[in-house]
Amino acid sequence: MCISYTIATRCVLLEHFVDAQPIYWIRTEEGRKHHAMRVAKSRRLTILACSVLIAMITYTHPGIASPVPTANSPTGALTSWNPNVNCTPVLVTIEQIIGNQSSPLGGATLGGSMFNPGTTSPYGQENTKRWLSPTSSTPPGWISPGQPCTMTNANGQVVSAFVQINGVQRGYRNEEDWNSSFMPVNGGTKYPNGPQSDSTFNIFTPGYGICDSSNTTGCMHNIHVEIDHDWKGASYCGPYTSCDNNTLVGQTTAFLTGLDVQGFVFWDQDRVDEATHNFSGWELHPLTAWRVPYWAPDFHLSASASNLGVLAGQSASSTITVNTFNLFSGNVSFSTAISPASNASTVGAAPTASMTPSSVALPSNGFYIAYSQLTVTTAVPSAGNYIVVVSGTSGNLTRSVSVTVNIMDFSIAASPTSLSIPIGSSGTSTLTLTSFNGFSGNVSLAAQVTPASITAGLSPVNPSASLSSSSMTLQSNGTNSATLAVSASLLTTPGTYIVTITASNGGVTRTTTVTVAVTATPLGV
């Protein structure tokens, strides 16, 4: 069986890497239809030879080897790809699971398998196959101990209940058996993430097609698998997990892409008469993980906001998401690099950037996705467009994402910047607001007078300052103006005063000053 499995794996790799094209039907000499891949004529003989050799080796074995690994077996190095499953899988083939005895309908029987009777519990079939593995996040009311790592078969042997099958292909996926609550064995409470379904499909040994009444040969090389709705409800499966049913469809093609899978072996007695279940009760339920064997695990970065607008002196942030591919695991450390945008003019200091946290470990809390926050801090004065490149590094893999930072600002200026007015008179200065690098919004104005000399500090009454407008709208890269009027009463002591004009937008303020010299009224006036 090991030899046949190796040959089967190499054959399916040949099909994928040499002239692989869309699926078509082959009609055999017996008149039966089988799924296959369209390949160049020169390759058909090679693939046919592989199939014949697999069949010869498989059917000349009088029995099926036990899948229990020895201490020196390479399968002892296998690990669970699902962080919520604390079991070590055993590497098997579909044929080793379902056995070599067929029923009158052509499907595998219960008694012909080394895994007979499959996983069982005192809680009935529906509870058993949906039982959650023990973790720190099991729902309230969950009954211990959950899915078993091993079981005792009909021959009294302890075998692994948790298996890994490499180099298979899949049929079409269905979403069925929707539910909104956990099974009683899992606590019976409502799912926290809404209604969930069983994602069901068959996997099969490459070279064999689907199982139906006209092609019972395929029945002995197919097994039904299900991503369970309770496992989705507990977020053991579903989005961003090792058993994501949506990326399964998005990243693989039925009857074409090779897969490795992990799951628990179960016998569903209620499905033995169904062609969609291969006329057999055998299934992997729950299916806990899948991967594409010849695709290297990888990750990429994305930003929740790829363009940040920020006022000078303020900060802005964007969430950086580490999305994984094909069960990538490991530590990803972050770094940032900042440079002016192409052909952009800048004013003042460049912004600074930081990542919190500075690294993440995947999977994170059971999910193959992680997050870090990019924070960009700007100085005053500053303006211009910058590019922040966030890089994530894990070993020899480095992936990057760019975020554009637009530093905007506004200013206020007075003309003239000084006034000389006799007591009992007034003077004016024009205030001009200017937008830089696309700033727009409402700006409020306020004026305050303070003494700036000893004599002014003794004055019983300071000069008064008034504005022609207390609020103005500033358009992008535009200007607007207001008038400052300063009056000195007869009670104002001659001296020097400072008028501070503050322009505000939210928590951002910009100021300018006008110096006012109040003089005494000349004699005889």
Side-chain angles (χ1 to χ4, degrees):
M1 293 302 295
C2 291
I3 297 174
S4 67
Y5 169 76
T6 301
I7 295 172
T9 302
R10 294 184 184 277
C11 288
V12 69
L13 288 176
L14 174 64
E15 288 185 275
H16 280 293
F17 285 113
V18 182
D19 299 336
Q21 294 181 26
I23 306 227
Y24 76 122
W25 287 98
I26 294 178
R27 184 176 296 276
T28 65
E29 292 180 357
E30 294 79 15
R32 294 175 180 168
K33 292 181 178 179
H34 295 276
H35 279 295
M37 292 195 316
R38 182 179 292 117
V39 295
K41 291 182 179 180
S42 61
R43 306 292 191 259
R44 293 180 184 173
L45 183 59
T46 303
I47 296 173
L48 177 61
C50 287
S51 301
V52 171
L53 184 57
I54 293 166
M56 290 174 62
I57 295 175
T58 301
Y59 290 108
T60 53
H61 278 67
I64 295 179
S66 169
V68 181
T70 65
N72 296 323
S73 170
T75 60
L78 299 179
T79 59
S80 169
W81 306 326
N82 190 320
N84 297 292
V85 178
N86 192 26
C87 297
T88 300
V90 62
L91 184 63
V92 295
T93 63
I94 292 174
E95 292 77 9
Q96 284 178 314
I97 294 177
I98 67 177
N100 57 4
Q101 296 179 12
S102 60
S103 68
L105 292 176
T109 64
L110 175 64
S113 170
M114 283 291 298
F115 291 89
N116 175 22
T119 56
T120 61
S121 79
Y123 304 105
Q125 179 170 279
E126 285 297 310
N127 279 290
T128 300
K129 65 184 180 182
R130 304 185 189 281
W131 210 352
L132 296 171
S133 294
T135 71
S136 59
S137 60
T138 51
W142 170 82
I143 298 174
S144 180
Q147 289 285 352
C149 293
T150 61
M151 60 185 174
T152 302
N153 68 11
N155 295 325
Q157 299 171 308
V158 176
V159 297
S160 178
F162 185 55
V163 300
Q164 177 175 324
I165 309 174
N166 289 348
V168 297
Q169 293 174 319
R170 70 170 178 88
Y172 295 116
R173 178 202 62 168
N174 292 313
E175 301 295 335
E176 55 186 309
D177 199 8
W178 288 83
N179 210 340
S180 298
S181 301
F182 289 107
M183 297 297 293
V185 74
N186 293 324
T189 57
K190 291 285 187 181
Y191 294 150
N193 48 5
Q196 302 295 330
S197 64
D198 287 336
S199 299
T200 68
F201 52 98
N202 290 329
I203 58 174
F204 60 92
T205 301
Y208 296 92
I210 62 174
C211 168
D212 57 36
S213 58
S214 65
N215 176 31
T216 56
T217 299
C219 300
M220 297 300 291
H221 304 279
N222 277 257
I223 190 170
H224 189 75
V225 299
E226 299 200 15
I227 302 175
D228 185 78
H229 57 57
D230 268 28
W231 281 57
K232 292 180 183 178
S235 294
Y236 285 18
C237 288
Y240 310 115
T241 68
S242 61
C243 36
D244 189 329
N245 52 299
N246 290 320
T247 55
L248 173 73
V249 174
Q251 297 178 3
T252 70
T253 302
F255 302 101
L256 181 62
T257 308
L259 292 173
D260 298 342
V261 299
Q262 291 182 344
F264 290 90
V265 180
F266 182 76
W267 174 267
D268 189 340
Q269 181 61 39
D270 296 336
R271 308 290 296 277
V272 295
D273 296 331
E274 299 178 15
T276 56
H277 211 274
N278 309 303
F279 298 119
S280 174
W282 288 116
E283 60 182 43
L284 295 188
H285 196 146
L287 181 76
T288 62
W290 63 269
R291 70 180 183 186
V292 179
Y294 41 82
W295 291 348
D298 205 342
F299 69 92
H300 70 273
L301 306 182
S302 61
S304 62
S306 58
N307 195 317
L308 297 176
V310 58
L311 278 171
Q314 300 294 293
S315 297
S317 63
S318 177
T319 299
I320 304 301
T321 301
V322 184
N323 293 286
T324 62
F325 178 75
N326 210 33
L327 302 181
F328 170 88
S329 62
N331 291 321
V332 177
S333 58
F334 299 106
S335 61
T336 60
I338 302 175
S339 60
S342 177
N343 300 320
S345 60
T346 61
V347 175
T352 59
S354 62
M355 297 292 295
T356 306
S358 60
S359 65
V360 294
L362 289 151
S364 176
N365 298 319
F367 294 94
Y368 284 86
I369 191 170
Y371 307 92
S372 181
Q373 180 169 285
L374 166 68
T375 300
V376 179
T377 303
T378 63
V380 176
S382 64
N385 298 333
Y386 292 84
I387 302 296
V388 180
V389 177
V390 179
S391 297
T393 301
S394 180
N396 60 355
L397 290 178
T398 297
R399 302 292 180 257
S400 301
V401 65
S402 296
V403 176
T404 300
V405 178
N406 303 310
I407 305 176
M408 302 173 290
D409 204 356
F410 65 91
S411 68
I412 184 170
S415 179
T417 58
S418 62
L419 297 173
S420 179
I421 57 176
I423 58 173
S425 62
S426 63
T428 62
S429 177
T430 300
L431 305 174
T432 301
L433 290 170
T434 303
S435 162
F436 295 103
N437 204 37
F439 171 84
S440 63
N442 292 323
V443 178
S444 60
L445 298 176
Q448 183 178 15
V449 181
T450 56
S453 67
I454 295 176
T455 56
L458 300 175
S459 177
V461 178
N462 288 334
S464 63
S466 62
L467 297 164
S468 61
S469 177
S470 61
S471 178
M472 293 190 297
T473 299
L474 194 55
Q475 301 295 331
S476 174
N477 299 323
T479 62
N480 207 342
S481 61
T483 299
L484 167 70
V486 180
S487 300
S489 74
L490 295 176
L491 298 177
T492 301
T493 302
T496 303
Y497 298 82
I498 300 295
V499 181
T500 302
I501 304 95
T502 302
S504 303
N505 175 267
V508 178
T509 61
R510 302 290 181 259
T511 61
T512 190
T513 59
V514 174
T515 302
V516 178
V518 178
T519 61
T521 303
L523 292 176
V525 176

